[in-house]
Amino acid sequence: MKTVSIASHLETIPGIKVRTDVPLARLTTFKIGGPAAVLITPETTEGLQAAIRVLADAELELFVLGNGSNMLVSDQGFDGVVLRIGSALGAVAIAPGDVLRIGAGCLWSGVLRFIQKEGWTGLEFGAGIPGTLGGAISTNAGTRGGETFDALVEVVGVDRQGEVRVLPAAEIPHRYRSSDLPERFVVTETAFRVRRDDPAAITETIRKYQAERRRDQPEREPSAGCIFKNPPGGSAGKLVDLAGLKGEKEGGAIVSPVHGNFIINQGGATATDVLRLADRLKERVKREHGIELELEVRLLGFGPEVAS
Ligand code: EPU
C-alpha cells in the first residue's frame, strides 16, 4: 500500500495523530536528516493497537522513534512510517511490590525527578541519558553507573498483530547496548525493580553523575550521544583521542574536542558528512590500534549497503 493511502486510512483512527512528509531533523538530537513519509503519534494504547493493525498488511517499513537520540537519519529521509512514542505514553507511577511503572515515552529526566521526589533508588544511573525509556529498552541504554536491563522487570507493548503483550525481562535477549525485541514490537510501558531510599542520597548520586557528564562530554551541542560502541574492555573515545583525531572535520561535522566518541553537528552538517567522518575514524583507529569500531547510533533511511 502506498504511504499516501495508508496515511488517509490512519487518519480515521481515534487516539493517534498523523502527519505526512515530516522533517525528521528537528525530531532528533543530531538535528540532521530528511523527512519521514508518514509520522504517527499515538495518544492512547488503543490508538496504537489500531494503527499497528492497519500497518500490519502494508508493506512499509516501520521505525519507532522516542526522543531522537542515538540515531542518524539519512539526508534523503525515510520512505516509511515513523511511530513516535511521546509524553502521552509517558506516565510514571509506583505499583505494589516496589515496582516502578514508566511509560515508554517518558524521558530519563522525568524518571529522575520522580525517584528524587518520592525516594526510590535503582535508576540513578540514567542521569544524563537523553532518550526515552522505550528507546532505552531497545538499546539497553546505560552509563558507567549501570544499564537498563540491570533493574528491568518487564516491558508491555503492542505486537505486530496489534495485541497487548507483556514480556518478562528474562525472556528478552540483551547485551551491551542492544536487545532483541520481537519484530515490530512497540514498547508502551516499562517496569523496574526499585527500593526505598533517602531522597537526599538519591539526589546526591544523580548530581554526581550529571557533574561527571558535564565535565567529560559535550552536552550542549547537537550530537547523537556516543557514535561508537565501546570495544570490549576499552573506550572508543580514548582510541579516537589517542589517534589524534579530536577536532577532525568533514563538512559541518566535527569530532568533539571534549570527547573523542562524539561527533558534533556544528550547524548544517549532513548525514553524509557524519558517516564520512565516522568512516575515517574507524579506518584510522583500525590502522593505529588494530581495533574495529562499531557504530552505536542507529541508522534510518540508508540503503542496506550502509552498515555499521
Ligand atoms: N578518554 C580519553 N579521551 C577521550 C574520551 C575518553 O582519554 O576523548 C578516556 C577517559 O579519560 C576515561 C576513559 O577514556 O579514562 C573512558 O571514558 P569515559 O569515562 O568518558 O567513558 P566512555 O567509555 O567513553 C561511556 C559510555 C557513555 C557514558 C559514559 C559515562 C559507551 C560507548 N559510552 O563512555 O555513553 O555516558 O561511559 O557513563 O558505552 C552513549 O552510550 O551514548 C554514551 C555517551
Side-chain angles (χ1 to χ4, degrees), residues 177-234:
R177 294 299 187 272
S178 79
S179 78
D180 304 328
L181 288 167
E183 212 185 318
R184 282 192 175 234
F185 188 86
V186 181
V187 178
T188 53
E189 191 185 61
T190 61
F192 292 87
R193 172 87 45 226
V194 288
R195 281 179 293 110
R196 276 261 172 236
D197 200 359
D198 172 19
I202 296 165
T203 299
E204 199 186 309
T205 308
I206 290 172
R207 292 223 172 114
K208 180 173 88 80
Y209 285 145
Q210 285 169 337
E212 285 173 2
R213 193 134 177 155
R214 269 195 298 274
R215 184 194 63 203
D216 298 340
Q217 298 182 5
E219 271 209 320
R220 297 192 188 284
E221 300 122 302
S223 81
C226 285
I227 196 94
F228 297 112
K229 292 180 184 175
N230 277 343

Side-chain angles (χ1 to χ4, degrees), residues 48 64 85 104 133-134 137 155-158 181 185-190:
L48 173 63
V64 184
I85 305 295
L133 270 286
I137 300 298
V155 306
V156 185
V158 177
L181 288 167
F185 188 86
V186 181
V187 178
T188 53
E189 191 185 61
T190 61

Side-chain angles (χ1 to χ4, degrees), residues 94-307:
I94 196 79
D98 294 355
V99 169
L100 191 58
R101 305 201 73 91
I102 312 168
C106 183
L107 292 167
W108 276 98
S109 50
V111 176
L112 297 170
R113 271 197 302 277
F114 184 94
I115 63 173
Q116 287 182 77
K117 187 160 165 272
E118 307 287 332
W120 295 99
T121 184
L123 293 172
E124 296 89 329
F125 72 88
I129 298 181
T132 61
L133 270 286
I137 300 298
S138 60
T139 59
N140 190 14
T143 63
R144 224 173 298 147
E147 60 183 29
T148 303
F149 273 74
D150 290 347
L152 185 68
V153 176
E154 64 184 28
V155 306
V156 185
V158 177
D159 70 13
R160 58 179 311 150
Q161 279 82 36
E163 300 300 325
V164 172
R165 272 175 65 193
V166 178
L167 305 177
E171 290 174 20
I172 309 172
H174 62 274
R175 58 206 73 78
Y176 166 68
R177 294 299 187 272
S178 79
S179 78
D180 304 328
L181 288 167
E183 212 185 318
R184 282 192 175 234
F185 188 86
V186 181
V187 178
T188 53
E189 191 185 61
T190 61
F192 292 87
R193 172 87 45 226
V194 288
R195 281 179 293 110
R196 276 261 172 236
D197 200 359
D198 172 19
I202 296 165
T203 299
E204 199 186 309
T205 308
I206 290 172
R207 292 223 172 114
K208 180 173 88 80
Y209 285 145
Q210 285 169 337
E212 285 173 2
R213 193 134 177 155
R214 269 195 298 274
R215 184 194 63 203
D216 298 340
Q217 298 182 5
E219 271 209 320
R220 297 192 188 284
E221 300 122 302
S223 81
C226 285
I227 196 94
F228 297 112
K229 292 180 184 175
N230 277 343
S235 158
K238 189 170 185 173
L239 294 172
V240 170
D241 190 2
L242 288 173
L245 294 164
K246 278 180 168 172
E248 193 81 1
K249 283 187 189 174
E250 176 73 41
I254 183 170
V255 179
S256 167
V258 178
H259 194 296
N261 202 7
F262 283 71
I263 290 181
I264 304 294
N265 173 7
Q266 288 191 299
T270 62
T272 309
D273 293 340
V274 172
L275 282 187
R276 281 203 185 123
L277 188 52
D279 275 348
R280 201 185 315 153
L281 301 182
K282 275 178 78 166
E283 259 171 51
R284 295 272 292 275
V285 165
K286 177 85 200 258
R287 198 181 335 138
E288 305 229 353
H289 307 288
I291 292 171
E292 195 88 50
L293 292 178
E294 194 190 325
L295 284 183
E296 172 178 315
V297 294
R298 303 234 166 140
L299 300 178
L300 179 64
F302 295 87
E305 69 282 0
V306 182

Side-chain angles (χ1 to χ4, degrees), residues 10 12-18 40-53 83-91 103-105 156-158 162-164 186-189:
L10 288 166
T12 63
I13 300 172
I16 63 166
K17 279 192 187 144
V18 184
I40 59 183
T41 311
E43 287 165 334
T44 60
T45 300
E46 293 72 24
L48 173 63
Q49 288 179 272
I52 297 267
R53 290 197 180 110
L83 196 52
R84 187 167 187 228
I85 305 295
S87 56
L89 296 176
V156 185
V158 177
E163 300 300 325
V164 172
V186 181
V187 178
T188 53
E189 191 185 61

